[in-house]
Amino acid sequence: MEGGAGSRTASALFAGFRALGLFSNDVPHVVRFNALKRRFYVTTCVGKSFHTYDVQKLSLVAVSNSLPQDICCMAADGRLVFAAYGNVFSAFARNKEVVHTFKGHKAEIHLLQPFGDHVISVDSDSILIIWHIYSEEEYLQLTFDKSVFKISTILHPSTYLNKILLGSEQGSLQLWNVKSNKLLYTFPGWKVGVTALQQAPAVDVVAVGLMSGQVIIHNIKFDETLMKFRQDWGPITSISFRTDGHPIMAAGSPCGHIGLWDLEDKKLINQMRNAHSTAIAGLTFLHREPLLVTNGADNALRIWIFDGPTGEGRLLRFRMGHSAPLTKIRYYGQNGQQILSASQDGTLQSFSTIHEKFNKSLGHGLINKKRVKRKGLQNTMSVRLPPITKFAAEEARESDWDGIIACHQGKLSCSTWNYQRSTIGAYFLKPKELKKDDVTATAVDITSCGNFAVIGLSSGTVDVYNMQSGIHRGSFGKDQAHKGSVRGVAVDGLNQLTVTTGSEGLLKFWNFKSKILIQSMSLESSPNIMLLHRDSGILGLALDDFSISVLDIETRKVVREFSGHQGQINDMAFSPDGRWLISASMDCSIRTWDLPSGCLIDSFLLDSAPLNVTMSPTGDFLATSHVDHLGIYLWSNVSLYSVVSLRPLPTDYVPSVVMLPGTCQIQDVEFSEETIEPSDEMIEYDSPEQLNEQLVTLSLLPESRWKNLLNLDVIKKKNKPKEPPKVPKSAPFFIPTVPGLVPRYAVPEQNNDPQQSKVVNLGILAQKSDFCLKLEEGLVNNKYEAALNLLKELGPSGIETELRSLSPDCGGSVEVMQSFLKMIGMMLDRKRDFELAQAYLALFLKLHLKMLPSEPVLLEELTKLSSQVEENWIHLQSLFNQSLCVLNYIKSALL
């Protein structure tokens, strides 16, 4: 997936995780019954994939793999779900993976009908093909003349073996035997296009929905119309019958209303008005249950229960997202589990990143909530507030009063909202003395304590309000804070400083309490967005020239400047630690800037321009919203669970387009294989043994190898066994090992000579060890690395034995002792293995201190060593003292 910095194209920091807030679109849902689990499941389409929900709790059971294009129609039988896209359709097993794909149509498929071991598909050119599911072969193809009989609906009548009923846009119906390929009967129809066909609970009876809004209950055996109903809401979109003992039929309409008809009394018994805000895409009564499942293009899936005496349905369960593109999203709270989102549909909703059951809607903003309650207005469209454009939220006092402040499109007053009660709040905050009608609220912020709201207006005024009482608490500046429209307001974490910026290109710092101007700064270009990271005091400014400036509000100076975006910057977000600044632009890119290094470290493109970005307070997810998309898309932070190189991207770096989460076709297995591939960037850095010849470098050996060398006699005394070791009665088989610190298996000696000589080889009895021999070699060639490496491999007892054996009394010689001291001198010269040199020298002096003065050669070497050790220590001590001084100053100084 990623090569070197120059070849990497996908995002290194963010991987697509999932989409939130997508539940349904204009494709009718499919209801299935699982006989094994004895449960109903409803499948809804969400673009290129579909979701499957358990009807009992509306919990998400499965999300299918994505298809190359948007799904245009769906159907299902007991085993498989069929989904068509373009002129192809696929069969999904286990609600997830594609197992069959059927190709053969030349036009877009708009109807699917499972038919036993076969499936029937109809395209927009009225070509009907019957496929064998498991072999994926065509069984039969029927071609109809579009001008005479353009197929609009399809139905398999109950108990009619091998027969299908087709409805047309011209109004006539045809009954076909698909096994013998014969047209059995043509129903003349009602001269109006057929939009829906549904099997009634009675055999031979079919409900026919028409373009005129009529529902015809027709007996297809005798070609008799039994009854007619009419709805004045436009064409019938879908029909369903109750099968739990009540003779009720439900019919959907393009207005979002549902009509309930009594088939015994032949009359309308109830209306479910505004069941959806868009056309009813599909409605289904569950078999032998008083439950109606509906879905629509308003991104809502609803289940209604009919348990009232009047036969009206009440909402039992629902899953609902935004029905229009989003305007603003922000994480709410510090746990990173809720995302607040505002939309062009006028609602404010909260989506949980944990589970859909924690989602909640704060509803539409109403101009006069009390009046609506008092008068009981059904249609609240006239009193609804315009869509929210910007909002700020703080959970500090959410249980005491409203904690969300929002400004609306084209409105002066800002509304307050209560997250805990999930409703619009008590106050509309606006200045009383303002008389101009064209002034609107353009920027809002709420203090970290949750007590005050700061609101900037298009007239340049910046006001402060109390969130608890709604009382105006002052304004910044004499008449106005800025000459132009206010583009951003922010308050620091301690309510000491307020920062405002205006379209005239000025950035102003104010004292929050006294409202006095502290400093004014001129910007290179007019600001577009302002964002403050309160913990670090870092202020991000997106300018109209597509550049980003980063300021420190303590010093009030520009500390970083970033450029590279090719379009207007829509939103920015800081990472929780304040190290990254993530920007989203109309050039369809999301870029991550590293503030400490001042470099661009990640960039990727999307097929739809990002409007909002927000980073989780816990740092695990990045959430984005996009132009013309209804969902919130989550991207996981890869740096939390794998090693990521944060090298700066080259200036000629060209990012590639990354698919939105939940819409990409990458399978899990393929993704895991890609991530395993070695990357040039991810090659581990091999640290050299010594960074610089002037630096004192320690060895990599554990402390146990050198720290206790001087106290070995005490340790041996303590560890002396009280009893001799007992041999176990039946010792298990062990592979013999060579004694030493690193375990190695003993290789059996191969004796090739059958007649072994009994003469003793005196060379074997020599006392000199390998270490002594290497030291003798070192005297000749002045190379001591081999001897030092031998010593490094030994444990403390082995080291003591080797150093003890250097003296002439134990088989060594003065020359070997001199060679050892030269080896220590070499280690001190190179400043490597510094602690080993000190430990070995200390042990050597302890063991041989009595005999050293009697040997002039050794005394000369020791004098040289003494000056070396002293010189090194003075240098180190000065560095230690300097570091301690700086550390004490930092700890005690009042900065």
Side-chain angles (χ1 to χ4, degrees):
M1 191 168 71
E2 292 135 16
S7 64
R8 192 189 80 205
T9 52
S11 173
L13 282 181
F14 300 107
F17 180 59
R18 61 175 292 208
L20 296 179
L22 294 175
F23 300 102
S24 169
N25 63 8
D26 58 345
V27 176
H29 66 261
V30 177
V31 172
R32 305 166 69 202
F33 180 71
N34 188 317
L36 190 65
K37 295 183 178 178
R38 301 198 60 77
R39 283 192 176 179
F40 286 100
Y41 294 94
V42 59
T43 301
T44 60
C45 171
V46 286
K48 295 179 181 178
S49 59
F50 58 83
H51 293 180
T52 303
Y53 297 90
D54 182 352
V55 171
Q56 194 172 8
K57 290 185 178 177
L58 266 191
S59 54
L60 186 62
V61 174
V63 178
S64 74
N65 293 333
S66 292
L67 292 169
Q69 299 174 37
D70 286 346
I71 296 170
C72 48
C73 68
M74 289 196 309
D77 59 13
R79 300 180 299 276
L80 303 170
V81 176
F82 302 95
Y85 56 98
N87 57 359
V88 181
F89 74 98
S90 297
F92 288 78
R94 293 175 290 282
N95 299 311
K96 187 168 178 67
E97 63 263 14
V98 175
V99 288
H100 302 291
T101 301
F102 304 87
K103 298 178 180 177
H105 282 284
K106 291 179 181 175
E108 185 175 299
I109 299 167
H110 70 106
L111 292 172
L112 289 172
Q113 174 67 50
F115 200 69
D117 286 339
H118 297 77
V119 60
I120 302 168
S121 59
V122 182
D123 64 23
S124 55
D125 289 341
S126 289
I127 294 173
L128 182 149
I129 303 178
I130 302 172
W131 308 80
H132 190 274
I133 293 173
Y134 300 104
S135 66
E136 300 178 15
E137 294 174 355
E138 284 188 26
Y139 172 75
L140 178 68
Q141 181 168 326
L142 298 173
T143 306
F144 295 84
D145 186 353
K146 279 202 298 183
S147 59
V148 179
F149 192 89
K150 186 174 182 183
I151 302 171
S152 59
T153 53
I154 184 170
L155 173 71
H156 168 53
S158 184
T159 72
Y160 280 54
L161 192 65
N162 301 325
K163 296 173 185 67
I164 56 168
L165 182 65
L166 303 173
S168 71
E169 289 185 6
Q170 287 77 13
S172 59
L173 292 93
Q174 293 184 5
L175 185 67
W176 282 79
N177 185 323
V178 292
K179 188 174 184 182
S180 60
N181 191 12
K182 285 183 181 177
L183 174 61
L184 301 179
Y185 191 78
T186 300
F187 301 89
W190 296 268
K191 298 179 182 177
V192 185
V194 178
T195 57
L197 283 175
Q198 181 63 38
Q199 174 70 49
V203 180
D204 304 325
V205 179
V206 169
V208 184
L210 304 178
M211 284 289 290
S212 60
Q214 277 187 309
V215 181
I216 313 292
I217 309 296
H218 198 75
N219 188 315
I220 57 172
K221 186 175 183 181
F222 302 107
D223 193 9
E224 288 181 2
T225 298
L226 303 178
M227 56 190 88
K228 290 183 181 181
F229 304 108
R230 185 179 183 84
Q231 294 182 176
D232 297 328
W233 301 320
I236 304 296
T237 56
S238 50
I239 303 169
S240 187
F241 291 89
R242 277 183 74 173
T243 52
D244 61 334
H246 296 266
I248 305 294
M249 179 189 72
S253 70
C255 309
H257 308 324
I258 298 171
L260 298 170
W261 301 85
D262 191 316
L263 300 176
E264 281 186 354
D265 298 341
K266 300 182 183 179
K267 66 177 184 181
L268 180 72
I269 58 163
N270 230 309
Q271 298 177 22
M272 295 167 62
R273 286 186 171 266
N274 300 311
H276 288 268
S277 59
T278 58
I280 306 292
L283 55 85
T284 312
F285 275 109
L286 297 187
H287 187 59
R288 293 188 176 176
E289 288 193 32
L291 297 175
L292 176 67
V293 181
T294 64
N295 81 299
D298 59 349
N299 195 18
L301 172 67
R302 294 186 169 97
I303 297 178
W304 311 81
I305 185 167
F306 293 81
D307 55 355
T310 56
E312 64 184 28
R314 64 177 177 88
L315 191 60
L316 180 65
R317 282 183 286 273
F318 66 94
R319 290 281 179 264
M320 183 180 72
H322 288 292
S323 58
L326 310 184
T327 56
K328 182 87 170 175
I329 63 169
R330 281 292 176 266
Y331 267 93
Y332 181 78
Q334 294 303 312
N335 59 6
Q337 293 178 2
Q338 287 89 27
I339 299 175
L340 273 177
S341 70
S343 163
Q344 290 173 13
D345 62 8
T347 61
L348 183 64
Q349 298 194 29
S350 169
F351 293 99
S352 169
T353 58
I354 306 299
H355 196 281
E356 281 91 353
K357 68 182 177 184
F358 301 120
N359 293 357
K360 63 180 182 178
S361 173
L362 280 71
H364 283 272
L366 300 174
I367 294 169
N368 193 329
K369 190 176 166 188
K370 289 181 180 176
R371 178 171 163 266
V372 172
K373 276 191 172 182
R374 188 169 63 247
K375 293 199 172 183
L377 293 173
Q378 290 297 316
N379 188 6
T380 58
M381 294 298 288
S382 58
V383 291
R384 283 182 180 174
L385 286 167
I388 294 170
T389 52
K390 290 195 169 90
F391 66 82
E394 181 57 56
E395 66 168 356
R397 303 302 292 268
E398 67 169 9
S399 56
D400 300 323
W401 51 76
D402 302 338
I404 302 167
I405 177 88
C407 51
H408 298 262
Q409 188 176 317
K411 291 282 286 184
L412 169 62
S413 56
C414 290
S415 58
T416 61
W417 298 73
N418 193 299
Y419 185 84
Q420 211 165 50
R421 290 192 289 116
S422 305
T423 181
I424 191 167
Y427 304 112
F428 286 97
L429 307 179
K430 64 175 181 179
K432 290 180 181 176
E433 64 276 0
L434 202 67
K435 293 178 181 177
K436 291 181 182 177
D437 295 332
D438 57 345
V439 177
T440 59
T442 54
V444 287
D445 194 20
I446 189 166
T447 57
S448 57
C449 59
N451 285 303
F452 298 100
V454 183
I455 300 171
L457 306 180
S458 59
S459 61
T461 310
V462 178
D463 299 298
V464 181
Y465 298 87
N466 188 292
M467 287 295 288
Q468 183 182 9
S469 61
I471 296 172
H472 186 262
R473 291 296 186 194
S475 302
F476 293 98
K478 288 183 179 178
D479 297 323
Q480 56 190 42
H482 292 273
K483 291 179 181 177
S485 171
V486 178
R487 294 282 176 88
V489 292
V491 185
D492 71 347
L494 298 173
N495 292 6
Q496 299 290 316
L497 201 66
T498 305
V499 188
T500 64
T501 184
S503 58
E504 78 278 10
L506 287 178
L507 180 72
K508 295 186 178 182
F509 297 88
W510 310 80
N511 184 299
F512 179 79
K513 194 173 182 182
S514 65
K515 314 287 188 297
I516 296 170
L517 179 65
I518 300 170
Q519 188 178 335
S520 179
M521 280 179 63
S522 181
L523 300 169
E524 293 178 4
S525 177
S526 180
N528 180 33
I529 296 166
M530 186 173 78
L531 182 69
L532 175 66
H533 187 258
R534 280 177 174 157
D535 292 347
S536 63
I538 296 292
L539 185 78
L541 278 166
L543 307 179
D544 282 347
D545 62 357
F546 313 150
S547 67
I548 298 171
S549 294
V550 181
L551 291 92
D552 182 358
I553 62 170
E554 292 292 330
T555 59
R556 302 185 195 107
K557 290 181 180 177
V558 176
V559 292
R560 294 285 185 272
E561 286 186 339
F562 302 120
S563 60
H565 279 296
Q566 304 297 318
Q568 177 189 311
I569 296 167
N570 291 327
D571 201 7
M572 298 188 297
F574 283 102
S575 61
D577 56 5
R579 292 182 66 87
W580 297 344
L581 177 63
I582 301 150
S583 57
S585 165
M586 284 305 287
D587 60 9
C588 295
S589 70
I590 293 178
R591 296 178 177 233
T592 305
W593 312 87
D594 188 57
L595 295 179
S597 65
C599 296
L600 174 69
I601 55 170
D602 190 58
S603 175
F604 61 97
L605 292 173
L606 298 147
D607 52 6
S608 178
L611 283 177
N612 291 280
V613 286
T614 177
M615 189 89 177
S616 162
T618 52
D620 48 0
F621 291 114
L622 176 75
T624 62
S625 71
H626 300 267
V627 173
D628 295 334
H629 282 260
L630 306 182
I632 297 170
Y633 297 91
L634 290 184
W635 308 79
S636 58
N637 184 355
V638 178
S639 67
L640 291 184
Y641 53 82
S642 66
V643 180
V644 174
S645 169
L646 297 181
R647 290 183 188 173
L649 295 178
T651 50
D652 59 346
Y653 176 72
V654 180
S656 66
V657 177
V658 178
M659 299 298 288
L660 289 172
T663 61
C664 50
Q665 297 179 71
I666 298 173
Q667 305 294 325
D668 299 339
V669 180
E670 292 173 14
F671 184 76
S672 62
E673 284 174 3
E674 282 188 328
T675 52
I676 292 167
E677 285 181 15
S679 151
D680 295 342
E681 264 183 84
M682 292 296 109
I683 294 172
E684 288 187 14
Y685 173 69
D686 290 330
S687 176
E689 288 188 16
Q690 191 173 22
L691 297 175
N692 190 295
E693 290 180 2
Q694 300 302 315
L695 296 176
V696 170
T697 307
L698 304 181
S699 71
L700 298 175
L701 292 180
E703 287 185 347
S704 58
R705 299 270 188 104
W706 55 268
K707 198 171 185 181
N708 299 316
L709 285 175
L710 294 177
N711 305 316
L712 271 178
D713 46 354
V714 180
I715 294 169
K716 284 179 179 175
K717 211 171 189 180
K718 281 184 180 178
N719 295 344
K720 191 176 181 182
K722 295 177 182 177
E723 296 178 7
K726 294 178 181 177
V727 180
K729 292 179 182 177
S730 55
F733 169 73
F734 288 108
I735 299 174
T737 55
V738 176
L741 292 171
V742 182
R744 285 196 296 268
Y745 295 119
V747 180
E749 294 180 5
Q750 293 181 353
N751 188 9
N752 296 326
D753 188 7
Q755 294 178 345
Q756 190 176 357
S757 173
K758 293 183 181 179
V759 178
V760 176
N761 184 0
L762 293 175
I764 296 172
L765 299 177
Q767 295 294 316
K768 291 183 181 178
S769 64
D770 289 343
F771 179 61
C772 284
L773 295 172
K774 295 292 181 190
L775 284 177
E776 286 178 354
E777 287 176 18
L779 270 179
V780 180
N781 56 21
N782 208 25
K783 290 181 181 177
Y784 295 100
E785 285 85 358
L788 180 60
N789 290 334
L790 277 174
L791 212 55
K792 280 184 181 179
E793 291 176 4
L794 297 173
S797 300
I799 293 169
E800 191 198 28
T801 306
E802 289 290 359
L803 295 193
R804 201 181 284 278
S805 65
L806 294 179
S807 69
D809 301 338
C810 299
S813 64
V814 175
E815 289 77 16
V816 175
M817 293 176 77
Q818 183 189 0
S819 180
F820 176 81
L821 291 173
K822 284 189 174 182
M823 182 186 81
I824 299 292
M826 180 268 297
M827 292 168 73
L828 292 173
D829 273 342
R830 294 186 181 180
K831 298 187 178 179
R832 282 167 60 173
D833 303 318
F834 189 76
E835 83 280 29
L836 294 186
Q838 303 288 341
Y840 294 163
L841 182 59
L843 182 60
F844 179 83
L845 292 174
K846 179 186 175 184
L847 295 175
H848 307 298
L849 193 62
K850 289 181 181 178
M851 71 156 289
L852 287 174
S854 60
E855 299 291 342
V857 183
L858 298 181
L859 270 177
E860 188 183 339
E861 285 294 335
L862 281 172
T863 311
K864 288 181 189 175
L865 271 181
S866 176
S867 62
Q868 271 183 289
V869 171
E870 193 173 356
E871 184 185 336
N872 282 340
W873 175 243
I874 289 169
H875 176 62
L876 272 180
Q877 195 172 29
S878 67
L879 290 176
F880 288 151
N881 290 339
Q882 187 181 348
S883 302
L884 285 169
C885 256
V886 173
L887 194 63
N888 281 327
Y889 173 73
I890 290 171
K891 284 167 67 178
S892 59
L894 296 170
L895 293 175

